[in-house]
Amino acid sequence: MRKALVTISLLVATLAIQAQEVPQVANILARHAQSLNGAWNYLVDVQEEGYYDYRMRPTKWGFFRNAKPQKPEDLIEYDFDLAPTMQVPGDWNTQDDRLFFYEGTVWLKRSFDYRPQDGCRALLYFGAVNYDAHVYVNGHHVGHHEGGFTPFNYDVTSQLHAGENTLIVKVDNKRHASAVPTQIFDWWNYGGITRDVLLVSLGETYIENYTLRLASLEGRRLAFSVKLNRPEAGRKVTLRIPELKIEKTVVTDAAGTATLTMKGKPQLWSPQNPKLYDVEISMGEETLTDRIGFRLIETRGKQLLLNGEPIFLKGISIHEEKPYGGGRANSTADAHTLLSWAKELGCNFVRLAHYPHNEYAVREAERMGLLVWSEIPVYWTIDWTNPATLENARRQLTDMIARDHNRANVIIWSIANETPHSPERDAFLGNLARLAKQLDDSRLVSMAMEVTSASNFKNRLQDNMHEYVDVVSFNQYIGWYRDVNDAPKMEWEIPYNKPVIISEFGGGAKYGLHGAKNQRWTEEFQENLYRENTAMLDKIDGLAGTTPWILKDFRSPRRVLVGIQDYYNRKGLFSDNGEKKKAFYVLKEWYSKK
């Protein structure tokens, strides 16, 4: 037995030849890339027999080998080429009726042609895989990634060869108490390779990341920094912004970094004028293009300031689900439809809950003039004392910021939602708040808190995290989890000299169900709830914005009421088929007066 375990361990080590995960490459959409999207063969592996043997040890006969019989008597009990296909990006829940509720392992396989280029590296990029991914190229294990909503990439130059290559991904969306999010959450656990897969061609030395932003309102000076993938001094990097007549060259230091501040005087990005500038960043033969806006977000007492002027955030919360029916949204077209509904509502702000959304969604919101709250899925009851859980959350926060830190519309990094108070939780979230500021001090940090102190009709927000956040945000559901008639009598005390965002309020209604305003699930009930809540919120001192819950109905396995919920959370202002409920018009009218 010991000899067998040693043999298997050596096999696994051999299969991981020269595998290397590299830091996230910024602005992936501007890189030279081969899309690996499309039809992938898949095998459902309920007991993970493609990964473990019957003693739960890693097996040398794993599905990652993509083995074929060499002789008539060979026994191989799987064949990807005979398996059905599903579309990538996509979730398996809505592509195979048998997998609607499935949580477990599915193997996905794609073959592709590759032509090596002299002096180039090949990076394999995944926009997101939910939740746990083992990646194999030509039978070699190139990496393992945990987290369902952030991008990752591997240098696979050594694993590829000229001609046909095979990519196999073991995807596992089982929930775990130590994961982020944890075992219980109120949205559908869509499994699969849910965002783009790209094979990116890069030079031996390339631009790994860069930052271009407004440094100050005074003089409208711009700040630029760049980081190469490796420490290399003396490399010239040129920044061009033709419309501003800017062309500047910087030289990297020994760490492979360079910084610059310059005069610019750009038009400032705002919801009323979402101005974006064409930008070119080049080094040698590599040229990256981007469209970047310039703005300044800050607070002054209980005011929220955009470009030095007070702003009220007329927002709505959104899940990353397709506009019609269910399924994970994964395209610009999906994002445009959802964001157009938000614009029709009168919004200038969206809360992309409860995890980082697709890069297409963030960019489309920027183009359309919608400010963004972006969040990591530290949701409800996290394993606060587990170092691995904290590291997972830190990694997701880091990757979210690395991808979207050049987007002018992203103004808030959110580190959590509805977490129960405890010293362990405070330490965990304090760590994340400090990390967010360390990585990006040009934006605000917040989180969706809970109201825990209530006496009759007086609510006092108390949360130790007020020391760490720039904006105090909290969720409240008076009228849904507390009688709707309580709203007119409610008094709120927010004892912090910071802007306040009500990050959630609302209630459920099934589209087309009508009745008295005190009858649950009717549109009239939800309509009245919104009337009472908006009047109540107007009385809160320092109210700087709201993001009611939620734009549209979305799937959730926790919502089981037959004939009403049918596995949908019905708090949407739009139905799952895009129909407006009566509460939509109440919120639209309220926002029109703000």
Side-chain angles (χ1 to χ4, degrees), residues 186-187 190 317-327 338 341 507-512 521 523 526 549-556 559 564-581:
D186 188 20
W187 66 85
Y190 290 113
S317 296
I318 303 177
H319 260 301
E320 190 177 66
E321 198 165 86
K322 287 184 178 295
Y324 303 102
L338 293 169
W341 292 351
K510 183 173 182 179
Y511 174 77
W521 306 112
E523 288 192 48
Q526 187 188 46
W549 194 258
I550 186 170
L551 181 69
K552 70 171 287 287
D553 294 349
F554 62 95
R555 280 186 167 146
S556 171
R559 309 297 173 165
I564 298 292
Q565 293 170 312
D566 299 319
Y567 299 109
Y568 276 94
N569 185 312
R570 296 294 185 189
K571 293 186 178 72
L573 297 178
F574 286 81
S575 75
D576 52 302
N577 288 315
E579 301 137 324
K580 298 184 186 72
K581 303 177 190 178

Side-chain angles (χ1 to χ4, degrees), residues 171-201:
V171 183
D172 185 350
N173 73 331
K174 287 193 294 291
R175 292 165 292 115
H176 300 281
S178 60
V180 181
T182 187
Q183 279 184 302
I184 300 174
F185 46 88
D186 188 20
W187 66 85
W188 206 265
N189 188 23
Y190 290 113
I193 303 173
T194 56
R195 297 180 188 163
D196 292 341
V197 184
L198 303 173
L199 188 63
V200 184
S201 179

Side-chain angles (χ1 to χ4, degrees), residues 96 98 142 326 366 438 489 574:
D96 185 337
R98 301 172 304 163
V142 299
E366 182 181 48
Q438 173 189 333
K489 312 166 194 174
F574 286 81

Side-chain angles (χ1 to χ4, degrees), residues 222-269:
L222 307 181
F224 173 67
S225 64
V226 64
K227 181 181 183 299
L228 306 184
N229 64 305
R230 58 187 184 184
E232 186 171 334
R235 295 301 296 260
K236 294 182 178 180
V237 180
T238 300
L239 168 70
R240 296 182 184 88
I241 312 176
E243 192 173 346
L244 295 178
K245 296 181 172 56
I246 288 176
E247 183 168 339
K248 300 285 185 180
T249 298
V250 295
V251 180
T252 59
D253 59 19
T257 64
T259 60
L260 173 71
T261 59
M262 72 205 92
K263 294 179 180 179
K265 294 190 177 180
Q267 294 182 44
L268 299 182
W269 187 101

Side-chain angles (χ1 to χ4, degrees), residues 31 78 211 240 255 277 331 356 380 383 408 420 423 470 497 542 581:
R31 311 281 179 162
Y78 69 95
T211 301
R240 296 182 184 88
Y277 287 89
S331 69
W380 288 358
D383 191 355
D470 302 298
N497 189 34
K581 303 177 190 178

Side-chain angles (χ1 to χ4, degrees), residues 520-538:
R520 288 268 179 175
W521 306 112
T522 64
E523 288 192 48
E524 286 74 16
F525 186 99
Q526 187 188 46
E527 177 187 40
N528 183 59
L529 184 154
Y530 267 79
R531 283 204 183 98
E532 299 286 6
N533 268 257
T534 52
M536 174 189 68
L537 298 179
D538 273 331

Side-chain angles (χ1 to χ4, degrees), residues 410-423:
V410 179
I411 59 171
I412 293 175
W413 302 125
S414 172
I415 57 173
N417 176 79
E418 289 185 356
T419 51
H421 298 191
S422 71

Side-chain angles (χ1 to χ4, degrees), residues 71-96:
K71 302 186 295 295
E73 64 269 25
D74 285 350
L75 175 63
I76 297 176
E77 296 185 90
Y78 69 95
D79 189 336
F80 279 106
D81 296 333
L82 299 179
T85 62
M86 71 170 61
Q87 287 297 309
V88 169
D91 59 88
W92 63 58
N93 311 80
T94 56
Q95 295 191 69
D96 185 337

